[in-house]
Amino acid sequence: MRGSALLLVAALAGASLARTAWTAPPVESELTPEKYRITDPAIARDRAALDGLGRRLAAFDSVASPGRVYTRELAVAWLVLAREQYALNDRSGLVDDAFDRASDLARILEARAVMLKPQPRAANGAPAIREDLWQLADSLKRTEALRCVAQEVARLEVTLVRAGHETTVCRPDDPHPQAAAATAQAARVRTLAAECILSVAIAPPPTPPPPDAAPAPVPDAVQAALRRLGAFANVHFDLNADTISVASSAVLDSVAAVMGSVPEIRATLIGHTDPRGSVAYNLALGQRRATAVRDYLVFRAGVDAGRLSIGSQGKTNPVAIGLGTREHALNRRVEILYSGPVEAQLSVRHQEGDLQLEKSRPKPPTAGRRRGTTGTRRRPAGTARPGPQTATTPR
């Protein structure tokens, strides 16, 4: 018994020494190793390192050459991913990988260089998926269309990494909102590139494998309904709100009517916010907004709940860049991502008929002159009082 007790004491002492063996560097340029992120000082130091990197990236002008815009946006997207996964206590290695990539890109920007070579498809805790979308991003970086899609391409690449990580934490039959978001982002990138420059050389969409048996043709009425459905792909919300407005309810009623006529259609609802506020608050707000849309479609419009899934991206995927009230209103939204019969073409169009701009705050009244004061000046001390005025002195 005495020998066992001595062994136990030695093991505990060794574990204590292991926990204290790592010493933080004097400069907050890296994160604490995962196994030491168990104390308040370590967490506070890591947050300071994340904030410091954010300040470095904020110093770069977002209006620059397409290569620098892409490099800066890619660094920001990696930093956002590192912040979010750190808050979720991710222990897959993705936090450190994302932080290191953002730091490397910050050093490239500080050296007045850019990063346009193909990015690694996989990351720690995130296997590579959707090679076709990676090829799309790589091809656009080699064309003049990059001036129109630099930010969107950078966000697409990090969303693909998020989707790869999603495969490690979600079951196959669970909703995969990041994978759906990557598909939607790729469609938007293709549209913007096509509108930016003619005959742009971008990777074509993948050809689906031939089915075992030829599917039954989709009736004309179903295809027409799907085209109508695709015309409504989003609804908007008021500031800090998750309630459905009258204008948004009209959009959702139209969506529900078409879903009722085409039982094959399913939809994923992704909530978004404007960039103000913390990451955790905005993720929760985006989830509430997606839930509100789902509840309206289910309880008010009669859509089967099994055909709907929800998710939230918070403030990580804005559609409008800027600090104006219109940009904020465009970002406060729920995106509706549709899927249907294999031969049906969904024509997605974003609408702004239910946009809710913030009401401007009244300015405080300007302070007036204090009552009881006059316009006469006081005579300096030590000066003589003027003599009697003559009749010609103005009064």
Side-chain angles (χ1 to χ4, degrees):
M1 286 295 294
R2 184 175 181 182
S4 300
L6 290 175
L7 289 174
L8 177 60
V9 170
L12 292 175
S16 177
L17 288 174
R19 285 195 297 270
T20 59
W22 183 80
T23 302
V27 180
E28 295 169 341
S29 58
E30 61 182 49
L31 298 178
T32 306
E34 285 184 355
K35 64 180 180 179
Y36 298 108
R37 295 173 192 164
I38 55 176
T39 64
D40 290 340
I43 295 173
R45 182 189 170 280
D46 288 344
R47 288 176 177 171
L50 291 165
D51 292 341
L53 181 54
R55 287 190 294 271
R56 288 171 61 191
L57 296 176
F60 298 107
D61 188 1
S62 60
V63 181
S65 66
R68 286 185 66 80
V69 171
Y70 163 80
T71 306
R72 179 183 183 275
E73 189 64 27
L74 185 63
V76 171
W78 278 117
L79 179 59
V80 169
L81 176 59
R83 286 182 184 276
E84 292 181 3
Q85 297 305 119
Y86 190 98
L88 296 174
N89 197 26
D90 188 313
R91 298 284 172 155
S92 66
L94 182 58
V95 174
D96 300 87
D97 199 347
F99 182 83
D100 291 343
R101 296 195 192 192
S103 299
D104 292 341
L105 292 168
R107 286 189 286 269
I108 291 173
L109 289 168
E110 289 166 346
R112 300 185 179 276
V114 297
M115 169 61 73
L116 290 176
K117 67 180 182 180
Q119 295 297 301
R121 273 50 166 159
N124 290 335
I129 65 170
R130 296 301 303 269
E131 176 63 23
D132 58 306
L133 299 187
W134 282 105
Q135 292 179 3
L136 168 65
D138 291 341
S139 62
L140 284 171
K141 286 184 283 186
R142 298 192 298 269
T143 69
E144 295 182 9
L146 184 63
R147 60 186 174 87
C148 300
V149 295
Q151 292 179 320
E152 285 76 8
V153 168
R155 294 171 191 157
L156 171 61
E157 290 181 336
V158 177
T159 301
L160 287 170
V161 175
R162 289 176 178 270
H165 180 64
E166 190 175 56
T167 63
T168 67
V169 296
C170 297
R171 293 174 298 185
D173 55 344
D174 286 341
H176 288 68
Q178 296 296 338
T183 302
Q185 285 178 320
R188 175 174 171 79
V189 166
R190 291 182 188 276
T191 301
L192 292 176
E195 294 173 350
C196 178
I197 185 171
L198 297 177
S199 301
V200 60
I202 61 178
T207 302
D212 296 334
V218 180
D220 294 340
V222 173
Q223 294 201 27
L226 288 172
R227 286 193 291 272
R228 286 176 53 205
L229 176 64
F232 302 99
N234 62 322
V235 291
H236 297 91
F237 289 82
D238 202 355
L239 177 65
N240 289 332
D242 55 8
T243 55
I244 306 298
S245 68
V246 175
S248 297
S249 64
V251 176
L252 295 178
D253 287 342
S254 177
V255 170
V258 181
M259 292 190 74
S261 63
V262 186
E264 295 86 353
I265 295 172
R266 297 180 177 274
T268 301
L269 313 173
I270 306 297
H272 301 267
T273 68
D274 64 41
R276 296 169 291 182
S278 67
V279 171
Y281 176 82
N282 282 295
L283 280 173
L285 179 57
Q287 189 76 12
R288 293 198 301 272
R289 287 173 174 169
T291 301
V293 172
R294 181 196 61 188
D295 291 347
Y296 185 96
L297 291 173
V298 172
F299 300 113
R300 296 283 298 276
V303 178
D304 183 4
R307 299 167 63 190
L308 303 171
S309 57
I310 63 173
S312 172
Q313 292 187 358
K315 64 179 182 178
T316 63
N317 189 19
V319 294
I321 304 301
L323 301 179
T325 56
R326 177 174 175 79
E327 288 80 5
H328 288 328
L330 287 170
N331 289 326
R332 296 193 298 268
R333 70 200 190 279
V334 166
E335 297 279 353
I336 307 173
L337 309 176
Y338 302 103
S339 59
V342 294
E343 291 186 1
Q345 298 296 321
L346 300 177
S347 177
V348 177
R349 182 174 61 193
H350 291 259
Q351 59 84 29
E352 300 179 9
D354 62 344
L355 206 61
Q356 301 186 61
L357 300 179
E358 301 172 35
K359 298 178 177 62
S360 59
R361 299 180 179 178
K363 295 182 179 180
T366 304
R369 182 180 295 175
R370 289 186 298 175
R371 305 178 69 178
T373 61
T374 65
T376 59
R377 297 182 179 179
R378 298 184 61 183
R379 185 172 64 254
T383 60
R385 183 182 298 275
Q389 293 179 332
T390 64
T392 59
T393 304
R395 296 183 181 272

PDB file of all heavy atoms in Angstrom, residues 368-381:
ATOM      1  N   GLY A 368     -29.575  76.722 -26.205  1.00  0.00           N
ATOM      2  CA  GLY A 368     -29.672  78.147 -26.554  1.00  0.00           C
ATOM      3  C   GLY A 368     -28.885  79.021 -25.604  1.00  0.00           C
ATOM      4  O   GLY A 368     -28.243  78.563 -24.654  1.00  0.00           O
ATOM      5  N   ARG A 369     -28.970  80.317 -25.835  1.00  0.00           N
ATOM      6  CA  ARG A 369     -28.264  81.269 -24.970  1.00  0.00           C
ATOM      7  C   ARG A 369     -28.940  81.301 -23.614  1.00  0.00           C
ATOM      8  O   ARG A 369     -30.162  81.249 -23.511  1.00  0.00           O
ATOM      9  CB  ARG A 369     -28.297  82.650 -25.616  1.00  0.00           C
ATOM     10  CG  ARG A 369     -27.532  83.703 -24.811  1.00  0.00           C
ATOM     11  CD  ARG A 369     -27.597  85.041 -25.513  1.00  0.00           C
ATOM     12  NE  ARG A 369     -26.891  84.954 -26.782  1.00  0.00           N
ATOM     13  CZ  ARG A 369     -26.872  85.960 -27.665  1.00  0.00           C
ATOM     14  NH1 ARG A 369     -27.522  87.087 -27.418  1.00  0.00           N
ATOM     15  NH2 ARG A 369     -26.223  85.825 -28.804  1.00  0.00           N
ATOM     16  N   ARG A 370     -28.153  81.385 -22.563  1.00  0.00           N
ATOM     17  CA  ARG A 370     -28.713  81.410 -21.220  1.00  0.00           C
ATOM     18  C   ARG A 370     -29.561  82.658 -21.027  1.00  0.00           C
ATOM     19  O   ARG A 370     -29.211  83.750 -21.475  1.00  0.00           O
ATOM     20  CB  ARG A 370     -27.606  81.375 -20.169  1.00  0.00           C
ATOM     21  CG  ARG A 370     -26.921  80.006 -20.092  1.00  0.00           C
ATOM     22  CD  ARG A 370     -25.938  79.973 -18.960  1.00  0.00           C
ATOM     23  NE  ARG A 370     -24.896  80.987 -19.193  1.00  0.00           N
ATOM     24  CZ  ARG A 370     -23.932  81.254 -18.311  1.00  0.00           C
ATOM     25  NH1 ARG A 370     -23.908  80.635 -17.147  1.00  0.00           N
ATOM     26  NH2 ARG A 370     -23.012  82.153 -18.575  1.00  0.00           N
ATOM     27  N   ARG A 371     -30.702  82.448 -20.398  1.00  0.00           N
ATOM     28  CA  ARG A 371     -31.621  83.546 -20.187  1.00  0.00           C
ATOM     29  C   ARG A 371     -31.032  84.539 -19.189  1.00  0.00           C
ATOM     30  O   ARG A 371     -30.363  84.190 -18.244  1.00  0.00           O
ATOM     31  CB  ARG A 371     -32.960  83.016 -19.658  1.00  0.00           C
ATOM     32  CG  ARG A 371     -33.552  81.935 -20.569  1.00  0.00           C
ATOM     33  CD  ARG A 371     -34.832  81.382 -20.041  1.00  0.00           C
ATOM     34  NE  ARG A 371     -35.896  82.406 -20.108  1.00  0.00           N
ATOM     35  CZ  ARG A 371     -37.160  82.176 -19.729  1.00  0.00           C
ATOM     36  NH1 ARG A 371     -37.487  81.010 -19.252  1.00  0.00           N
ATOM     37  NH2 ARG A 371     -38.058  83.132 -19.838  1.00  0.00           N
ATOM     38  N   GLY A 372     -31.317  85.806 -19.447  1.00  0.00           N
ATOM     39  CA  GLY A 372     -30.858  86.840 -18.527  1.00  0.00           C
ATOM     40  C   GLY A 372     -29.542  87.440 -18.905  1.00  0.00           C
ATOM     41  O   GLY A 372     -29.047  88.334 -18.224  1.00  0.00           O
ATOM     42  N   THR A 373     -28.897  86.981 -20.005  1.00  0.00           N
ATOM     43  CA  THR A 373     -27.608  87.548 -20.404  1.00  0.00           C
ATOM     44  C   THR A 373     -27.830  88.636 -21.419  1.00  0.00           C
ATOM     45  O   THR A 373     -28.833  88.671 -22.122  1.00  0.00           O
ATOM     46  CB  THR A 373     -26.709  86.457 -20.990  1.00  0.00           C
ATOM     47  OG1 THR A 373     -27.341  85.920 -22.140  1.00  0.00           O
ATOM     48  CG2 THR A 373     -26.458  85.352 -19.978  1.00  0.00           C
ATOM     49  N   THR A 374     -26.910  89.518 -21.518  1.00  0.00           N
ATOM     50  CA  THR A 374     -26.988  90.625 -22.480  1.00  0.00           C
ATOM     51  C   THR A 374     -25.766  90.592 -23.361  1.00  0.00           C
ATOM     52  O   THR A 374     -24.822  89.856 -23.120  1.00  0.00           O
ATOM     53  CB  THR A 374     -27.065  91.979 -21.740  1.00  0.00           C
ATOM     54  OG1 THR A 374     -25.840  92.157 -21.039  1.00  0.00           O
ATOM     55  CG2 THR A 374     -28.239  92.005 -20.773  1.00  0.00           C
ATOM     56  N   GLY A 375     -25.788  91.430 -24.380  1.00  0.00           N
ATOM     57  CA  GLY A 375     -24.668  91.460 -25.309  1.00  0.00           C
ATOM     58  C   GLY A 375     -23.583  92.426 -24.920  1.00  0.00           C
ATOM     59  O   GLY A 375     -22.645  92.651 -25.675  1.00  0.00           O
ATOM     60  N   THR A 376     -23.674  93.106 -23.751  1.00  0.00           N
ATOM     61  CA  THR A 376     -22.658  94.070 -23.336  1.00  0.00           C
ATOM     62  C   THR A 376     -21.445  93.369 -22.797  1.00  0.00           C
ATOM     63  O   THR A 376     -21.537  92.284 -22.229  1.00  0.00           O
ATOM     64  CB  THR A 376     -23.231  95.013 -22.265  1.00  0.00           C
ATOM     65  OG1 THR A 376     -23.646  94.220 -21.157  1.00  0.00           O
ATOM     66  CG2 THR A 376     -24.442  95.778 -22.828  1.00  0.00           C
ATOM     67  N   ARG A 377     -20.311  93.959 -22.992  1.00  0.00           N
ATOM     68  CA  ARG A 377     -19.064  93.401 -22.496  1.00  0.00           C
ATOM     69  C   ARG A 377     -18.704  94.047 -21.153  1.00  0.00           C
ATOM     70  O   ARG A 377     -18.970  95.226 -20.921  1.00  0.00           O
ATOM     71  CB  ARG A 377     -17.930  93.646 -23.492  1.00  0.00           C
ATOM     72  CG  ARG A 377     -18.133  92.959 -24.839  1.00  0.00           C
ATOM     73  CD  ARG A 377     -16.955  93.225 -25.734  1.00  0.00           C
ATOM     74  NE  ARG A 377     -17.115  92.564 -27.007  1.00  0.00           N
ATOM     75  CZ  ARG A 377     -16.225  92.653 -28.011  1.00  0.00           C
ATOM     76  NH1 ARG A 377     -15.118  93.386 -27.847  1.00  0.00           N
ATOM     77  NH2 ARG A 377     -16.438  92.026 -29.149  1.00  0.00           N
ATOM     78  N   ARG A 378     -18.080  93.253 -20.307  1.00  0.00           N
ATOM     79  CA  ARG A 378     -17.619  93.790 -19.024  1.00  0.00           C
ATOM     80  C   ARG A 378     -16.362  94.602 -19.241  1.00  0.00           C
ATOM     81  O   ARG A 378     -15.504  94.261 -20.042  1.00  0.00           O
ATOM     82  CB  ARG A 378     -17.340  92.627 -18.069  1.00  0.00           C
ATOM     83  CG  ARG A 378     -18.579  91.800 -17.758  1.00  0.00           C
ATOM     84  CD  ARG A 378     -18.268  90.726 -16.750  1.00  0.00           C
ATOM     85  NE  ARG A 378     -17.808  91.330 -15.486  1.00  0.00           N
ATOM     86  CZ  ARG A 378     -17.414  90.595 -14.431  1.00  0.00           C
ATOM     87  NH1 ARG A 378     -17.391  89.295 -14.512  1.00  0.00           N
ATOM     88  NH2 ARG A 378     -17.011  91.194 -13.325  1.00  0.00           N
ATOM     89  N   ARG A 379     -16.235  95.708 -18.476  1.00  0.00           N
ATOM     90  CA  ARG A 379     -15.085  96.575 -18.606  1.00  0.00           C
ATOM     91  C   ARG A 379     -13.899  95.940 -17.913  1.00  0.00           C
ATOM     92  O   ARG A 379     -14.016  95.427 -16.799  1.00  0.00           O
ATOM     93  CB  ARG A 379     -15.391  97.938 -17.940  1.00  0.00           C
ATOM     94  CG  ARG A 379     -14.273  98.968 -18.148  1.00  0.00           C
ATOM     95  CD  ARG A 379     -14.709 100.338 -17.659  1.00  0.00           C
ATOM     96  NE  ARG A 379     -14.946 100.349 -16.220  1.00  0.00           N
ATOM     97  CZ  ARG A 379     -16.163 100.386 -15.690  1.00  0.00           C
ATOM     98  NH1 ARG A 379     -17.219 100.393 -16.466  1.00  0.00           N
ATOM     99  NH2 ARG A 379     -16.332 100.406 -14.380  1.00  0.00           N
ATOM    100  N   PRO A 380     -12.751  95.883 -18.594  1.00  0.00           N
ATOM    101  CA  PRO A 380     -11.564  95.282 -17.951  1.00  0.00           C
ATOM    102  C   PRO A 380     -11.249  95.985 -16.635  1.00  0.00           C
ATOM    103  O   PRO A 380     -11.461  97.193 -16.483  1.00  0.00           O
ATOM    104  CB  PRO A 380     -10.451  95.489 -18.983  1.00  0.00           C
ATOM    105  CG  PRO A 380     -11.176  95.676 -20.276  1.00  0.00           C
ATOM    106  CD  PRO A 380     -12.462  96.368 -19.933  1.00  0.00           C
ATOM    107  N   ALA A 381     -10.726  95.200 -15.709  1.00  0.00           N
ATOM    108  CA  ALA A 381     -10.383  95.758 -14.388  1.00  0.00           C
ATOM    109  C   ALA A 381      -9.303  96.816 -14.542  1.00  0.00           C
ATOM    110  O   ALA A 381      -8.350  96.664 -15.300  1.00  0.00           O
ATOM    111  CB  ALA A 381      -9.919  94.648 -13.466  1.00  0.00           C
TER     112      ALA A 381
END
